[in-house]
PDB file of all heavy atoms in Angstrom:
ATOM      1  N   VAL A 216     -69.894  76.496  48.888  1.00  0.00           N
ATOM      2  CA  VAL A 216     -69.870  77.952  48.699  1.00  0.00           C
ATOM      3  C   VAL A 216     -69.101  78.589  49.845  1.00  0.00           C
ATOM      4  O   VAL A 216     -69.270  78.195  51.008  1.00  0.00           O
ATOM      5  CB  VAL A 216     -71.301  78.545  48.664  1.00  0.00           C
ATOM      6  CG1 VAL A 216     -71.250  80.040  48.355  1.00  0.00           C
ATOM      7  CG2 VAL A 216     -72.174  77.823  47.639  1.00  0.00           C
ATOM      8  N   VAL A 217     -68.272  79.577  49.522  1.00  0.00           N
ATOM      9  CA  VAL A 217     -67.623  80.423  50.520  1.00  0.00           C
ATOM     10  C   VAL A 217     -68.228  81.814  50.408  1.00  0.00           C
ATOM     11  O   VAL A 217     -68.271  82.391  49.315  1.00  0.00           O
ATOM     12  CB  VAL A 217     -66.098  80.494  50.313  1.00  0.00           C
ATOM     13  CG1 VAL A 217     -65.486  81.577  51.206  1.00  0.00           C
ATOM     14  CG2 VAL A 217     -65.452  79.147  50.610  1.00  0.00           C
ATOM     15  N   VAL A 218     -68.717  82.338  51.515  1.00  0.00           N
ATOM     16  CA  VAL A 218     -69.280  83.691  51.561  1.00  0.00           C
ATOM     17  C   VAL A 218     -68.343  84.559  52.389  1.00  0.00           C
ATOM     18  O   VAL A 218     -68.024  84.220  53.538  1.00  0.00           O
ATOM     19  CB  VAL A 218     -70.685  83.697  52.192  1.00  0.00           C
ATOM     20  CG1 VAL A 218     -71.244  85.117  52.227  1.00  0.00           C
ATOM     21  CG2 VAL A 218     -71.629  82.770  51.415  1.00  0.00           C
ATOM     22  N   VAL A 219     -67.920  85.681  51.814  1.00  0.00           N
ATOM     23  CA  VAL A 219     -66.997  86.592  52.484  1.00  0.00           C
ATOM     24  C   VAL A 219     -67.770  87.812  52.969  1.00  0.00           C
ATOM     25  O   VAL A 219     -68.294  88.589  52.174  1.00  0.00           O
ATOM     26  CB  VAL A 219     -65.858  87.018  51.542  1.00  0.00           C
ATOM     27  CG1 VAL A 219     -64.917  87.986  52.255  1.00  0.00           C
ATOM     28  CG2 VAL A 219     -65.090  85.799  51.047  1.00  0.00           C
ATOM     29  N   GLY A 220     -67.869  87.972  54.290  1.00  0.00           N
ATOM     30  CA  GLY A 220     -68.572  89.101  54.884  1.00  0.00           C
ATOM     31  C   GLY A 220     -69.867  88.673  55.528  1.00  0.00           C
ATOM     32  O   GLY A 220     -70.775  88.171  54.844  1.00  0.00           O
ATOM     33  N   ALA A 221     -69.979  88.877  56.848  1.00  0.00           N
ATOM     34  CA  ALA A 221     -71.171  88.456  57.584  1.00  0.00           C
ATOM     35  C   ALA A 221     -72.036  89.646  57.968  1.00  0.00           C
ATOM     36  O   ALA A 221     -72.558  89.722  59.080  1.00  0.00           O
ATOM     37  CB  ALA A 221     -70.783  87.646  58.818  1.00  0.00           C
ATOM     38  N   GLY A 222     -72.191  90.596  57.040  1.00  0.00           N
ATOM     39  CA  GLY A 222     -73.217  91.607  57.195  1.00  0.00           C
ATOM     40  C   GLY A 222     -74.562  91.001  56.812  1.00  0.00           C
ATOM     41  O   GLY A 222     -74.667  89.786  56.575  1.00  0.00           O
ATOM     42  N   PRO A 223     -75.618  91.813  56.717  1.00  0.00           N
ATOM     43  CA  PRO A 223     -76.933  91.257  56.386  1.00  0.00           C
ATOM     44  C   PRO A 223     -76.950  90.468  55.076  1.00  0.00           C
ATOM     45  O   PRO A 223     -77.529  89.381  55.016  1.00  0.00           O
ATOM     46  CB  PRO A 223     -77.814  92.508  56.299  1.00  0.00           C
ATOM     47  CG  PRO A 223     -77.177  93.469  57.255  1.00  0.00           C
ATOM     48  CD  PRO A 223     -75.703  93.245  57.102  1.00  0.00           C
ATOM     49  N   GLY A 224     -76.282  90.995  54.019  1.00  0.00           N
ATOM     50  CA  GLY A 224     -76.281  90.300  52.738  1.00  0.00           C
ATOM     51  C   GLY A 224     -75.559  88.975  52.788  1.00  0.00           C
ATOM     52  O   GLY A 224     -76.048  87.953  52.286  1.00  0.00           O
ATOM     53  N   GLY A 225     -74.377  88.948  53.390  1.00  0.00           N
ATOM     54  CA  GLY A 225     -73.596  87.721  53.457  1.00  0.00           C
ATOM     55  C   GLY A 225     -74.246  86.660  54.327  1.00  0.00           C
ATOM     56  O   GLY A 225     -74.351  85.484  53.939  1.00  0.00           O
ATOM     57  N   SER A 226     -74.705  87.059  55.511  1.00  0.00           N
ATOM     58  CA  SER A 226     -75.328  86.087  56.411  1.00  0.00           C
ATOM     59  C   SER A 226     -76.627  85.550  55.831  1.00  0.00           C
ATOM     60  O   SER A 226     -76.929  84.355  55.959  1.00  0.00           O
ATOM     61  CB  SER A 226     -75.585  86.722  57.779  1.00  0.00           C
ATOM     62  OG  SER A 226     -74.371  86.986  58.457  1.00  0.00           O
ATOM     63  N   ALA A 227     -77.409  86.422  55.186  1.00  0.00           N
ATOM     64  CA  ALA A 227     -78.663  85.970  54.584  1.00  0.00           C
ATOM     65  C   ALA A 227     -78.394  85.019  53.422  1.00  0.00           C
ATOM     66  O   ALA A 227     -79.104  84.016  53.253  1.00  0.00           O
ATOM     67  CB  ALA A 227     -79.483  87.162  54.120  1.00  0.00           C
ATOM     68  N   THR A 228     -77.376  85.317  52.606  1.00  0.00           N
ATOM     69  CA  THR A 228     -77.023  84.410  51.510  1.00  0.00           C
ATOM     70  C   THR A 228     -76.650  83.042  52.060  1.00  0.00           C
ATOM     71  O   THR A 228     -77.112  81.999  51.567  1.00  0.00           O
ATOM     72  CB  THR A 228     -75.848  84.976  50.697  1.00  0.00           C
ATOM     73  OG1 THR A 228     -76.172  86.276  50.193  1.00  0.00           O
ATOM     74  CG2 THR A 228     -75.515  84.064  49.520  1.00  0.00           C
ATOM     75  N   ALA A 229     -75.805  83.034  53.085  1.00  0.00           N
ATOM     76  CA  ALA A 229     -75.379  81.771  53.690  1.00  0.00           C
ATOM     77  C   ALA A 229     -76.566  81.004  54.264  1.00  0.00           C
ATOM     78  O   ALA A 229     -76.683  79.777  54.091  1.00  0.00           O
ATOM     79  CB  ALA A 229     -74.342  82.054  54.780  1.00  0.00           C
ATOM     80  N   ALA A 230     -77.467  81.703  54.939  1.00  0.00           N
ATOM     81  CA  ALA A 230     -78.629  81.048  55.537  1.00  0.00           C
ATOM     82  C   ALA A 230     -79.528  80.439  54.468  1.00  0.00           C
ATOM     83  O   ALA A 230     -79.984  79.288  54.593  1.00  0.00           O
ATOM     84  CB  ALA A 230     -79.401  82.046  56.386  1.00  0.00           C
ATOM     85  N   HIS A 231     -79.806  81.198  53.408  1.00  0.00           N
ATOM     86  CA  HIS A 231     -80.649  80.681  52.333  1.00  0.00           C
ATOM     87  C   HIS A 231     -80.002  79.463  51.664  1.00  0.00           C
ATOM     88  O   HIS A 231     -80.693  78.497  51.322  1.00  0.00           O
ATOM     89  CB  HIS A 231     -80.901  81.768  51.289  1.00  0.00           C
ATOM     90  CG  HIS A 231     -81.971  82.750  51.666  1.00  0.00           C
ATOM     91  ND1 HIS A 231     -83.275  82.376  51.898  1.00  0.00           N
ATOM     92  CD2 HIS A 231     -81.933  84.099  51.833  1.00  0.00           C
ATOM     93  CE1 HIS A 231     -83.999  83.450  52.198  1.00  0.00           C
ATOM     94  NE2 HIS A 231     -83.209  84.501  52.166  1.00  0.00           N
ATOM     95  N   LEU A 232     -78.707  79.498  51.484  1.00  0.00           N
ATOM     96  CA  LEU A 232     -78.014  78.367  50.874  1.00  0.00           C
ATOM     97  C   LEU A 232     -78.078  77.136  51.765  1.00  0.00           C
ATOM     98  O   LEU A 232     -78.282  76.009  51.289  1.00  0.00           O
ATOM     99  CB  LEU A 232     -76.555  78.731  50.590  1.00  0.00           C
ATOM    100  CG  LEU A 232     -76.319  79.692  49.410  1.00  0.00           C
ATOM    101  CD1 LEU A 232     -74.886  80.205  49.416  1.00  0.00           C
ATOM    102  CD2 LEU A 232     -76.624  78.986  48.090  1.00  0.00           C
ATOM    103  N   ALA A 233     -77.891  77.325  53.068  1.00  0.00           N
ATOM    104  CA  ALA A 233     -77.965  76.200  53.999  1.00  0.00           C
ATOM    105  C   ALA A 233     -79.353  75.577  53.979  1.00  0.00           C
ATOM    106  O   ALA A 233     -79.496  74.340  54.023  1.00  0.00           O
ATOM    107  CB  ALA A 233     -77.599  76.660  55.404  1.00  0.00           C
ATOM    108  N   ARG A 234     -80.376  76.396  53.894  1.00  0.00           N
ATOM    109  CA  ARG A 234     -81.739  75.877  53.842  1.00  0.00           C
ATOM    110  C   ARG A 234     -82.008  75.126  52.542  1.00  0.00           C
ATOM    111  O   ARG A 234     -82.938  74.327  52.472  1.00  0.00           O
ATOM    112  CB  ARG A 234     -82.736  77.025  54.008  1.00  0.00           C
ATOM    113  CG  ARG A 234     -82.675  77.662  55.391  1.00  0.00           C
ATOM    114  CD  ARG A 234     -83.556  78.880  55.511  1.00  0.00           C
ATOM    115  NE  ARG A 234     -84.973  78.539  55.572  1.00  0.00           N
ATOM    116  CZ  ARG A 234     -85.934  79.434  55.790  1.00  0.00           C
ATOM    117  NH1 ARG A 234     -85.620  80.709  55.978  1.00  0.00           N
ATOM    118  NH2 ARG A 234     -87.185  79.073  55.823  1.00  0.00           N
ATOM    119  N   ARG A 235     -81.193  75.368  51.528  1.00  0.00           N
ATOM    120  CA  ARG A 235     -81.293  74.658  50.254  1.00  0.00           C
ATOM    121  C   ARG A 235     -80.373  73.436  50.213  1.00  0.00           C
ATOM    122  O   ARG A 235     -80.235  72.805  49.172  1.00  0.00           O
ATOM    123  CB  ARG A 235     -80.995  75.612  49.101  1.00  0.00           C
ATOM    124  CG  ARG A 235     -82.139  76.603  48.836  1.00  0.00           C
ATOM    125  CD  ARG A 235     -81.645  77.859  48.119  1.00  0.00           C
ATOM    126  NE  ARG A 235     -82.744  78.758  47.798  1.00  0.00           N
ATOM    127  CZ  ARG A 235     -83.360  79.555  48.670  1.00  0.00           C
ATOM    128  NH1 ARG A 235     -82.997  79.529  49.958  1.00  0.00           N
ATOM    129  NH2 ARG A 235     -84.331  80.356  48.294  1.00  0.00           N
ATOM    130  N   GLY A 236     -79.722  73.153  51.343  1.00  0.00           N
ATOM    131  CA  GLY A 236     -78.956  71.932  51.455  1.00  0.00           C
ATOM    132  C   GLY A 236     -77.495  72.030  51.076  1.00  0.00           C
ATOM    133  O   GLY A 236     -76.821  70.996  50.977  1.00  0.00           O
ATOM    134  N   LEU A 237     -76.958  73.228  50.894  1.00  0.00           N
ATOM    135  CA  LEU A 237     -75.557  73.375  50.494  1.00  0.00           C
ATOM    136  C   LEU A 237     -74.653  73.515  51.709  1.00  0.00           C
ATOM    137  O   LEU A 237     -75.073  73.994  52.767  1.00  0.00           O
ATOM    138  CB  LEU A 237     -75.378  74.570  49.555  1.00  0.00           C
ATOM    139  CG  LEU A 237     -75.681  74.289  48.066  1.00  0.00           C
ATOM    140  CD1 LEU A 237     -77.171  74.100  47.849  1.00  0.00           C
ATOM    141  CD2 LEU A 237     -75.151  75.416  47.184  1.00  0.00           C
ATOM    142  N   ASP A 238     -73.404  73.128  51.534  1.00  0.00           N
ATOM    143  CA  ASP A 238     -72.369  73.245  52.562  1.00  0.00           C
ATOM    144  C   ASP A 238     -71.715  74.618  52.399  1.00  0.00           C
ATOM    145  O   ASP A 238     -71.101  74.904  51.363  1.00  0.00           O
ATOM    146  CB  ASP A 238     -71.348  72.125  52.372  1.00  0.00           C
ATOM    147  CG  ASP A 238     -70.210  72.190  53.378  1.00  0.00           C
ATOM    148  OD1 ASP A 238     -70.371  72.842  54.420  1.00  0.00           O
ATOM    149  OD2 ASP A 238     -69.154  71.582  53.109  1.00  0.00           O
ATOM    150  N   VAL A 239     -71.839  75.468  53.409  1.00  0.00           N
ATOM    151  CA  VAL A 239     -71.431  76.867  53.293  1.00  0.00           C
ATOM    152  C   VAL A 239     -70.490  77.257  54.416  1.00  0.00           C
ATOM    153  O   VAL A 239     -70.713  76.923  55.582  1.00  0.00           O
ATOM    154  CB  VAL A 239     -72.668  77.807  53.329  1.00  0.00           C
ATOM    155  CG1 VAL A 239     -72.257  79.249  53.039  1.00  0.00           C
ATOM    156  CG2 VAL A 239     -73.731  77.349  52.338  1.00  0.00           C
ATOM    157  N   VAL A 240     -69.441  78.025  54.054  1.00  0.00           N
ATOM    158  CA  VAL A 240     -68.560  78.661  55.034  1.00  0.00           C
ATOM    159  C   VAL A 240     -68.777  80.169  54.937  1.00  0.00           C
ATOM    160  O   VAL A 240     -68.747  80.746  53.844  1.00  0.00           O
ATOM    161  CB  VAL A 240     -67.080  78.329  54.770  1.00  0.00           C
ATOM    162  CG1 VAL A 240     -66.180  79.120  55.717  1.00  0.00           C
ATOM    163  CG2 VAL A 240     -66.826  76.846  54.938  1.00  0.00           C
ATOM    164  N   LEU A 241     -68.988  80.806  56.067  1.00  0.00           N
ATOM    165  CA  LEU A 241     -69.208  82.250  56.153  1.00  0.00           C
ATOM    166  C   LEU A 241     -68.036  82.875  56.896  1.00  0.00           C
ATOM    167  O   LEU A 241     -67.809  82.578  58.071  1.00  0.00           O
ATOM    168  CB  LEU A 241     -70.529  82.532  56.881  1.00  0.00           C
ATOM    169  CG  LEU A 241     -70.907  83.976  57.161  1.00  0.00           C
ATOM    170  CD1 LEU A 241     -71.029  84.788  55.869  1.00  0.00           C
ATOM    171  CD2 LEU A 241     -72.222  84.036  57.949  1.00  0.00           C
ATOM    172  N   LEU A 242     -67.284  83.736  56.208  1.00  0.00           N
ATOM    173  CA  LEU A 242     -66.075  84.344  56.771  1.00  0.00           C
ATOM    174  C   LEU A 242     -66.351  85.791  57.162  1.00  0.00           C
ATOM    175  O   LEU A 242     -66.839  86.577  56.343  1.00  0.00           O
ATOM    176  CB  LEU A 242     -64.936  84.303  55.751  1.00  0.00           C
ATOM    177  CG  LEU A 242     -64.578  82.933  55.168  1.00  0.00           C
ATOM    178  CD1 LEU A 242     -63.472  83.082  54.126  1.00  0.00           C
ATOM    179  CD2 LEU A 242     -64.160  81.962  56.262  1.00  0.00           C
ATOM    180  N   GLU A 243     -66.036  86.139  58.393  1.00  0.00           N
ATOM    181  CA  GLU A 243     -66.205  87.509  58.883  1.00  0.00           C
ATOM    182  C   GLU A 243     -64.877  88.039  59.399  1.00  0.00           C
ATOM    183  O   GLU A 243     -64.234  87.411  60.236  1.00  0.00           O
ATOM    184  CB  GLU A 243     -67.260  87.550  59.992  1.00  0.00           C
ATOM    185  CG  GLU A 243     -67.330  88.834  60.790  1.00  0.00           C
ATOM    186  CD  GLU A 243     -67.588  90.077  59.939  1.00  0.00           C
ATOM    187  OE1 GLU A 243     -68.321  89.974  58.931  1.00  0.00           O
ATOM    188  OE2 GLU A 243     -67.052  91.150  60.294  1.00  0.00           O
ATOM    189  N   LYS A 244     -64.472  89.197  58.868  1.00  0.00           N
ATOM    190  CA  LYS A 244     -63.188  89.796  59.231  1.00  0.00           C
ATOM    191  C   LYS A 244     -63.096  90.109  60.717  1.00  0.00           C
ATOM    192  O   LYS A 244     -62.072  89.873  61.357  1.00  0.00           O
ATOM    193  CB  LYS A 244     -62.968  91.064  58.409  1.00  0.00           C
ATOM    194  CG  LYS A 244     -61.676  91.805  58.711  1.00  0.00           C
ATOM    195  CD  LYS A 244     -61.562  93.045  57.836  1.00  0.00           C
ATOM    196  CE  LYS A 244     -60.300  93.828  58.131  1.00  0.00           C
ATOM    197  NZ  LYS A 244     -60.192  95.042  57.275  1.00  0.00           N
ATOM    198  N   ALA A 245     -64.162  90.655  61.284  1.00  0.00           N
ATOM    199  CA  ALA A 245     -64.175  91.062  62.693  1.00  0.00           C
ATOM    200  C   ALA A 245     -64.660  89.902  63.559  1.00  0.00           C
ATOM    201  O   ALA A 245     -64.879  88.786  63.087  1.00  0.00           O
ATOM    202  CB  ALA A 245     -65.065  92.280  62.876  1.00  0.00           C
ATOM    203  N   THR A 246     -64.813  90.176  64.839  1.00  0.00           N
ATOM    204  CA  THR A 246     -65.459  89.234  65.750  1.00  0.00           C
ATOM    205  C   THR A 246     -66.681  89.929  66.338  1.00  0.00           C
ATOM    206  O   THR A 246     -66.656  91.136  66.614  1.00  0.00           O
ATOM    207  CB  THR A 246     -64.510  88.802  66.883  1.00  0.00           C
ATOM    208  OG1 THR A 246     -64.023  89.958  67.578  1.00  0.00           O
ATOM    209  CG2 THR A 246     -63.328  88.027  66.332  1.00  0.00           C
ATOM    210  N   PHE A 247     -67.743  89.190  66.503  1.00  0.00           N
ATOM    211  CA  PHE A 247     -68.976  89.767  67.034  1.00  0.00           C
ATOM    212  C   PHE A 247     -68.904  89.902  68.548  1.00  0.00           C
ATOM    213  O   PHE A 247     -68.273  89.081  69.212  1.00  0.00           O
ATOM    214  CB  PHE A 247     -70.163  88.882  66.639  1.00  0.00           C
ATOM    215  CG  PHE A 247     -70.474  88.905  65.172  1.00  0.00           C
ATOM    216  CD1 PHE A 247     -70.257  87.785  64.384  1.00  0.00           C
ATOM    217  CD2 PHE A 247     -70.982  90.046  64.566  1.00  0.00           C
ATOM    218  CE1 PHE A 247     -70.558  87.786  63.033  1.00  0.00           C
ATOM    219  CE2 PHE A 247     -71.279  90.066  63.214  1.00  0.00           C
ATOM    220  CZ  PHE A 247     -71.068  88.929  62.443  1.00  0.00           C
ATOM    221  N   PRO A 248     -69.569  90.960  69.072  1.00  0.00           N
ATOM    222  CA  PRO A 248     -70.326  91.984  68.357  1.00  0.00           C
ATOM    223  C   PRO A 248     -69.418  93.040  67.738  1.00  0.00           C
ATOM    224  O   PRO A 248     -68.363  93.359  68.296  1.00  0.00           O
ATOM    225  CB  PRO A 248     -71.206  92.603  69.455  1.00  0.00           C
ATOM    226  CG  PRO A 248     -70.388  92.440  70.699  1.00  0.00           C
ATOM    227  CD  PRO A 248     -69.644  91.140  70.542  1.00  0.00           C
ATOM    228  N   ARG A 249     -69.823  93.547  66.609  1.00  0.00           N
ATOM    229  CA  ARG A 249     -69.104  94.633  65.965  1.00  0.00           C
ATOM    230  C   ARG A 249     -70.109  95.589  65.322  1.00  0.00           C
ATOM    231  O   ARG A 249     -71.201  95.199  64.934  1.00  0.00           O
ATOM    232  CB  ARG A 249     -68.091  94.109  64.956  1.00  0.00           C
ATOM    233  CG  ARG A 249     -68.701  93.258  63.834  1.00  0.00           C
ATOM    234  CD  ARG A 249     -68.758  94.062  62.556  1.00  0.00           C
ATOM    235  NE  ARG A 249     -69.196  93.247  61.431  1.00  0.00           N
ATOM    236  CZ  ARG A 249     -70.444  93.171  61.013  1.00  0.00           C
ATOM    237  NH1 ARG A 249     -71.402  93.845  61.653  1.00  0.00           N
ATOM    238  NH2 ARG A 249     -70.776  92.432  59.958  1.00  0.00           N
ATOM    239  N   ASP A 250     -69.723  96.851  65.198  1.00  0.00           N
ATOM    240  CA  ASP A 250     -70.646  97.900  64.764  1.00  0.00           C
ATOM    241  C   ASP A 250     -70.500  98.174  63.278  1.00  0.00           C
ATOM    242  O   ASP A 250     -69.454  97.909  62.686  1.00  0.00           O
ATOM    243  CB  ASP A 250     -70.394  99.184  65.562  1.00  0.00           C
ATOM    244  CG  ASP A 250     -71.544 100.163  65.484  1.00  0.00           C
ATOM    245  OD1 ASP A 250     -72.642  99.760  65.067  1.00  0.00           O
ATOM    246  OD2 ASP A 250     -71.348 101.334  65.848  1.00  0.00           O
ATOM    247  N   LYS A 251     -71.553  98.705  62.673  1.00  0.00           N
ATOM    248  CA  LYS A 251     -71.533  99.220  61.309  1.00  0.00           C
ATOM    249  C   LYS A 251     -72.335 100.512  61.286  1.00  0.00           C
ATOM    250  O   LYS A 251     -73.349 100.640  61.976  1.00  0.00           O
ATOM    251  CB  LYS A 251     -72.161  98.213  60.333  1.00  0.00           C
ATOM    252  CG  LYS A 251     -71.314  96.970  60.086  1.00  0.00           C
ATOM    253  CD  LYS A 251     -70.056  97.280  59.292  1.00  0.00           C
ATOM    254  CE  LYS A 251     -69.252  96.015  59.023  1.00  0.00           C
ATOM    255  NZ  LYS A 251     -68.029  96.279  58.250  1.00  0.00           N
ATOM    256  N   ILE A 252     -71.874 101.467  60.484  1.00  0.00           N
ATOM    257  CA  ILE A 252     -72.567 102.759  60.400  1.00  0.00           C
ATOM    258  C   ILE A 252     -73.847 102.572  59.598  1.00  0.00           C
ATOM    259  O   ILE A 252     -73.813 102.135  58.449  1.00  0.00           O
ATOM    260  CB  ILE A 252     -71.680 103.825  59.731  1.00  0.00           C
ATOM    261  CG1 ILE A 252     -70.297 103.842  60.369  1.00  0.00           C
ATOM    262  CG2 ILE A 252     -72.343 105.195  59.828  1.00  0.00           C
ATOM    263  CD1 ILE A 252     -70.294 103.992  61.863  1.00  0.00           C
ATOM    264  N   CYS A 253     -74.985 102.924  60.205  1.00  0.00           N
ATOM    265  CA  CYS A 253     -76.276 102.669  59.572  1.00  0.00           C
ATOM    266  C   CYS A 253     -77.341 103.445  60.325  1.00  0.00           C
ATOM    267  O   CYS A 253     -77.169 103.779  61.500  1.00  0.00           O
ATOM    268  CB  CYS A 253     -76.574 101.168  59.618  1.00  0.00           C
ATOM    269  SG  CYS A 253     -78.072 100.655  58.768  1.00  0.00           S
ATOM    270  N   GLY A 254     -78.450 103.690  59.653  1.00  0.00           N
ATOM    271  CA  GLY A 254     -79.585 104.308  60.331  1.00  0.00           C
ATOM    272  C   GLY A 254     -80.371 103.320  61.172  1.00  0.00           C
ATOM    273  O   GLY A 254     -81.212 103.732  61.971  1.00  0.00           O
ATOM    274  N   ASP A 255     -80.124 102.025  60.964  1.00  0.00           N
ATOM    275  CA  ASP A 255     -80.775 100.955  61.735  1.00  0.00           C
ATOM    276  C   ASP A 255     -82.254 100.805  61.430  1.00  0.00           C
ATOM    277  O   ASP A 255     -82.958 100.055  62.110  1.00  0.00           O
ATOM    278  CB  ASP A 255     -80.600 101.148  63.248  1.00  0.00           C
ATOM    279  CG  ASP A 255     -79.144 101.143  63.688  1.00  0.00           C
ATOM    280  OD1 ASP A 255     -78.315 100.539  62.978  1.00  0.00           O
ATOM    281  OD2 ASP A 255     -78.842 101.752  64.741  1.00  0.00           O
ATOM    282  N   GLY A 256     -82.749 101.502  60.400  1.00  0.00           N
ATOM    283  CA  GLY A 256     -84.158 101.396  60.062  1.00  0.00           C
ATOM    284  C   GLY A 256     -84.408 100.230  59.119  1.00  0.00           C
ATOM    285  O   GLY A 256     -83.660 100.003  58.175  1.00  0.00           O
ATOM    286  N   LEU A 257     -85.464  99.477  59.396  1.00  0.00           N
ATOM    287  CA  LEU A 257     -85.860  98.341  58.571  1.00  0.00           C
ATOM    288  C   LEU A 257     -87.269  98.597  58.061  1.00  0.00           C
ATOM    289  O   LEU A 257     -88.236  98.554  58.826  1.00  0.00           O
ATOM    290  CB  LEU A 257     -85.814  97.048  59.389  1.00  0.00           C
ATOM    291  CG  LEU A 257     -84.443  96.685  59.980  1.00  0.00           C
ATOM    292  CD1 LEU A 257     -84.585  95.598  61.037  1.00  0.00           C
ATOM    293  CD2 LEU A 257     -83.483  96.253  58.887  1.00  0.00           C
ATOM    294  N   THR A 258     -87.379  98.900  56.772  1.00  0.00           N
ATOM    295  CA  THR A 258     -88.685  99.160  56.180  1.00  0.00           C
ATOM    296  C   THR A 258     -89.458  97.855  56.044  1.00  0.00           C
ATOM    297  O   THR A 258     -88.914  96.761  56.240  1.00  0.00           O
ATOM    298  CB  THR A 258     -88.532  99.795  54.786  1.00  0.00           C
ATOM    299  OG1 THR A 258     -88.002  98.812  53.884  1.00  0.00           O
ATOM    300  CG2 THR A 258     -87.615 101.005  54.829  1.00  0.00           C
ATOM    301  N   PRO A 259     -90.753  97.925  55.671  1.00  0.00           N
ATOM    302  CA  PRO A 259     -91.500  96.688  55.459  1.00  0.00           C
ATOM    303  C   PRO A 259     -90.859  95.736  54.450  1.00  0.00           C
ATOM    304  O   PRO A 259     -91.053  94.521  54.549  1.00  0.00           O
ATOM    305  CB  PRO A 259     -92.862  97.196  54.977  1.00  0.00           C
ATOM    306  CG  PRO A 259     -93.025  98.509  55.695  1.00  0.00           C
ATOM    307  CD  PRO A 259     -91.644  99.114  55.656  1.00  0.00           C
TER     308      PRO A 259
END
């Protein structure tokens, strides 16, 4: 699997796939650390 974008959705998809035994490449356009516009709130 190739995952494009290492935001929360992309990184979580890649992590879940790796835990299921798949070979995954995660591609991120920027280099970390990098910012995203967000309220930063995480509900339950």
